[in-house]
Amino acid sequence: MRILTVVGARPQFIKAAAVSRELRKKPEVEEILIHTGQHFDAGMSDIFFEQMEIPRPDHRLQISGMNHGAMTGRMLEGVEALITDRKPDWVLIYGDTNSTLAGALAAAKLHVPVAHVEAGLRSFNMRMPEEINRVLADRISSVLFCPTAHAVSNLEAEGYRNLNVEIQLVGDVMQDAALFYKSRARRPESVSTYARDDLILATVHRAENTDDRERLTQIVMALNRLHRDQPVVLPLHPRTRKCLEKYGLKLDLHVIEPVGYLEMVWLLEHAQIVLTDSGGLQKEAYFFGRPCVTLRDETEWVELVERGVNYLSGANAESILSAVGRMRPVTVMDDDQLYGGGQAARRIAQYFV
Ligand code: UDP
C-alpha cells in the first residue's frame, strides 16, 4: 500500500506529524511525503519537521509566494507529475489550503483515490479561500475523515450519503498532536523576560482580517488596549506583518516571530485566554483548558461555541474587549467527547491496511 501525502502549510505539518507517525508503524504502508513549499522558511516549516520528528519530505516542489491561481496551478502540475511517476494507491491530503486542493485535483483526474483528513468542515462563507478549497476537496475525495460529528452532519446535509464516498468519523488529529507533544513544552526564548501564568496569547492571520484594513485596525486597537493591563503575546504571521506595514499599523505588545509547536504548547499552558482567528488554535485552547475569543464572524468548530468555551467576537474593538471580559472567567474542561480523545491518527492509519 503506497500512500502519497501532500502537505505545504504549517497546520498541515502538525496534522501530518500525528498521522505519519501511525502510518509508519504499519509495515504494509509506504508513505511518500511531498512538501509543496507553500510555507517554506525555517520558522514556518523546518522547525516543525525537526521538533515533531516528521519524516523528511521525499519531494519538495518549492512553490510559494504567488497568487492563488498561479500557486495552485503549479502545485497541480508538480503533484500530477509525482503521482504519475510514483503510482500511489492513495493520495492523502489535509485541511483546506491550496496544497490540499492541488493534491486532490491532481489525484482525482488521474483516478487515484483521495483521502481527506479534516473533511466536512464548513464556515458557510464562500469568500474564504479555505472554504472553497475544502468544499472542492471533499467533493472529489473517496474517503472523508471527519474530525467531529458536526462535520459528518455537514456532509450529510450536502447529500454525501448518496454519493459513492466513505464518511468516517475518526476524531481530530490535532488532539492527537496536542496529547503527544504536551510533555515536551518549551519556553520560547523570546518570552523569557515576561514569562508568567496569565498571558493573553493572540494570533491573527486569516485573509478576511489581514486583507481588510478596517478589521485589522480594530483588532490591533483591541490587542493594544488589552496589553496595557495584561501581557499580550503575539507570534506574528508573515502575512500579517506585511499587512500591518502596508496599513501603517503598530502593535504595542509582545510581538514575537512565529514559534515552533513545542513553544506554542508552552504559551498555551501559560495563557489565561486565547484570542485568535486560527482554526487550529481554537481547538488547542480547548485541549489546554483555556477559553477562546475567536476574531471572526463564524467558525468551523461550532461545538466549542455551543459549549460556551469559545466566543465569536468578530473584528470590532469594543466587541473583542467585551468578549474577553465575558470569557476570562470561563472554566474549560476537555472531556474527550468532542474530538475523539487522541485516537484519530490511529483510526486513519488502520483504514489503509
Ligand atoms: N502555531 C505554531 N506557531 C505559531 C503559531 C501557530 O506552531 O507561531 C500552530 C498552532 O499551535 C496550531 C497551528 O499552528 O497548531 C495552526 O496553524 P495556523 O493558525 O497557521 O492555521 P489554521 O489552523 O488557521 O489553518
Side-chain angles (χ1 to χ4, degrees):
M1 170 69 56
R2 181 177 284 180
I3 299 174
L4 187 141
T5 298
V6 182
V7 293
R10 177 169 67 188
Q12 293 169 328
F13 308 144
I14 294 161
K15 292 164 200 170
V19 178
S20 286
R21 175 168 297 104
E22 291 298 327
L23 284 178
R24 285 165 201 245
K25 284 183 191 166
K26 308 270 180 210
E28 329 61 333
V29 171
E30 179 199 0
E31 187 185 31
I32 301 166
L33 193 61
I34 299 182
H35 187 330
T36 63
Q38 191 173 344
H39 287 163
F40 57 91
D41 62 17
M44 295 291 287
S45 172
D46 299 354
I47 192 165
F48 296 96
F49 284 82
E50 285 153 26
Q51 284 191 341
M52 304 181 89
E53 295 160 341
I54 305 168
R56 284 172 66 84
D58 298 281
H59 302 276
R60 291 178 181 271
L61 299 178
Q62 295 179 318
I63 299 164
S64 68
M66 293 166 226
N67 290 336
H68 283 280
M71 186 197 283
T72 314
R74 288 197 50 199
M75 287 175 181
L76 184 55
E77 233 177 321
V79 176
E80 183 182 65
L82 286 169
I83 295 175
T84 307
D85 183 41
R86 306 296 304 259
K87 301 189 176 31
D89 300 296
W90 283 91
V91 168
L92 181 62
I93 54 167
Y94 292 90
D96 53 24
T97 72
N98 291 339
S99 304
T100 314
L101 180 59
L105 206 46
K109 290 275 178 88
L110 292 169
H111 305 143
V112 175
V114 178
H116 186 195
V117 176
E118 215 178 66
L121 292 185
R122 297 291 182 266
S123 67
F124 301 102
N125 175 359
M126 284 301 277
R127 290 183 57 78
M128 289 176 74
E130 295 89 344
E131 183 77 353
I132 298 169
N133 290 339
R134 59 171 85 100
V135 167
L136 296 178
D138 278 349
R139 186 61 188 82
I140 53 179
S141 293
S142 296
V143 58
L144 297 164
F145 293 121
C146 295
T148 60
H150 196 85
V152 173
S153 59
N154 285 338
L155 293 173
E156 286 171 343
E158 290 175 21
Y160 273 74
R161 289 287 182 204
N162 302 323
L163 301 176
N164 186 20
V165 36
E166 257 187 274
I167 299 175
Q168 298 259 333
L169 175 57
V170 292
D172 185 7
V173 295
M174 290 194 92
Q175 179 156 44
D176 301 23
L179 290 169
F180 188 86
Y181 296 100
K182 204 181 169 90
S183 60
R184 305 192 193 176
R186 212 188 264 171
R187 186 177 72 188
E189 279 172 28
S190 40
V191 305
S192 55
T193 52
Y194 49 88
R196 44 192 262 190
D197 280 340
D198 64 345
L199 301 170
I200 295 179
L201 173 60
T203 73
V204 183
H205 77 289
R206 287 258 95 73
E208 72 209 52
N209 285 331
T210 58
D211 296 2
D212 182 323
R213 182 186 210 125
E214 179 56 22
R215 288 179 74 96
L216 194 58
T217 305
Q218 293 283 324
I219 291 171
V220 168
M221 275 164 54
L223 295 176
N224 287 348
R225 173 70 194 82
L226 287 165
H227 185 69
R228 281 196 239 148
D229 303 324
Q230 190 176 355
V232 177
V233 181
L234 185 142
L236 187 57
H237 193 284
R239 178 198 294 154
T240 315
R241 183 183 291 282
K242 276 194 206 137
C243 293
L244 290 168
E245 281 165 14
K246 186 165 91 186
Y247 307 142
L249 294 170
K250 190 168 174 322
L251 280 167
D252 209 357
L253 45 87
H254 296 305
V255 174
I256 59 176
E257 290 296 317
V259 293
Y261 187 78
L262 304 184
E263 286 81 7
M264 208 58 190
V265 171
W266 187 95
L267 288 167
L268 281 156
E269 285 177 340
H270 290 76
Q272 183 191 48
I273 186 165
V274 174
L275 270 67
T276 191
D277 60 9
S278 156
L281 201 54
Q282 290 175 57
K283 286 168 296 156
E284 286 163 355
Y286 175 70
F287 301 150
F288 289 90
R290 305 296 184 257
C292 183
V293 171
T294 296
L295 308 168
R296 291 178 50 194
D297 302 323
E298 73 274 314
T299 180
E300 300 76 21
W301 305 102
V302 285
E303 51 286 326
L304 296 175
V305 178
E306 283 160 10
R307 280 230 170 168
V309 297
N310 187 352
Y311 186 86
L312 296 172
S313 68
N316 168 275
E318 283 310 313
S319 314
I320 296 168
L321 294 173
S322 76
V324 171
R326 175 201 287 247
M327 294 305 289
R328 243 193 209 113
V330 168
T331 304
V332 181
M333 292 282 289
D334 179 6
D335 57 10
D336 285 348
Q337 296 297 308
L338 298 182
Y339 297 107
Q343 299 301 315
R346 192 184 53 74
R347 290 181 183 137
I348 290 168
Q350 196 56 38
Y351 177 86
F352 292 106
V353 295

